[in-house]
Amino acid sequence: QVQLVESGGGLVQAGGSLRLSCAASGSIFRINAMGWYRQAPGKQRELVATITYGGSTNYADSVKGRFTISRDNAKNTVYLQMNSLKPEDTAVYLCNADVSSVFWKSGEHYWGQGTQVTVSS
């Protein structure tokens, strides 16, 4: 079993910054990829950013240039640095991870509980 614990959400003014963290623990051989998703009231969940074990990143067009995803493989932790925040960034941000418990098996997906990010005008 794998657990993901998120932190760093909060209330900020437009133009401000937040840094989200997601730490994975449990039966982990390797985290193949980690990512951040977000879901606002009345809207569908959307991909924000992902990062592979090797460091390859992918961003939604809406956040590219403002958000930066990174990871510390030794700590099984992924971060999302969010700069130049806009009110439309307001959402619950969810961490997910593709985790291999042993080296010969493909990964399984796990989700965190989510952390609220609110950006005021």
Side-chain angles (χ1 to χ4, degrees):
Q1 189 175 14
V2 174
Q3 298 83 39
L4 303 179
V5 179
E6 298 148 313
S7 62
L11 173 64
V12 297
Q13 295 184 8
S17 298
L18 284 174
R19 184 173 183 256
L20 306 183
S21 299
C22 175
S25 61
S27 300
I28 300 171
F29 170 73
R30 189 180 73 174
I31 300 178
N32 305 304
M34 300 184 78
W36 290 94
Y37 294 74
R38 66 186 182 186
Q39 187 165 19
K43 300 181 67 176
Q44 294 184 349
R45 184 179 298 176
E46 64 175 342
L47 171 70
V48 177
T50 60
I51 186 168
T52 67
Y53 183 85
S56 179
T57 59
N58 182 52
Y59 296 93
D61 289 340
S62 60
V63 306
K64 195 171 186 178
R66 299 187 297 120
F67 292 8
T68 302
I69 189 170
S70 61
R71 67 185 295 176
D72 185 336
N73 291 334
K75 297 181 179 179
N76 291 325
T77 300
V78 65
Y79 307 94
L80 185 68
Q81 179 66 47
M82 304 184 294
N83 298 325
S84 301
L85 283 163
K86 304 175 181 179
E88 50 263 43
D89 295 319
T90 296
V92 174
Y93 283 71
L94 300 158
C95 176
N96 89 301
D98 182 347
V99 179
S100 293
S101 59
V102 292
F103 75 90
W104 66 84
K105 292 181 64 176
S106 60
E108 299 180 359
H109 279 288
Y110 297 88
W111 289 91
Q113 77 286 352
T115 184
Q116 177 70 46
V117 171
T118 302
V119 185
S120 62
S121 300

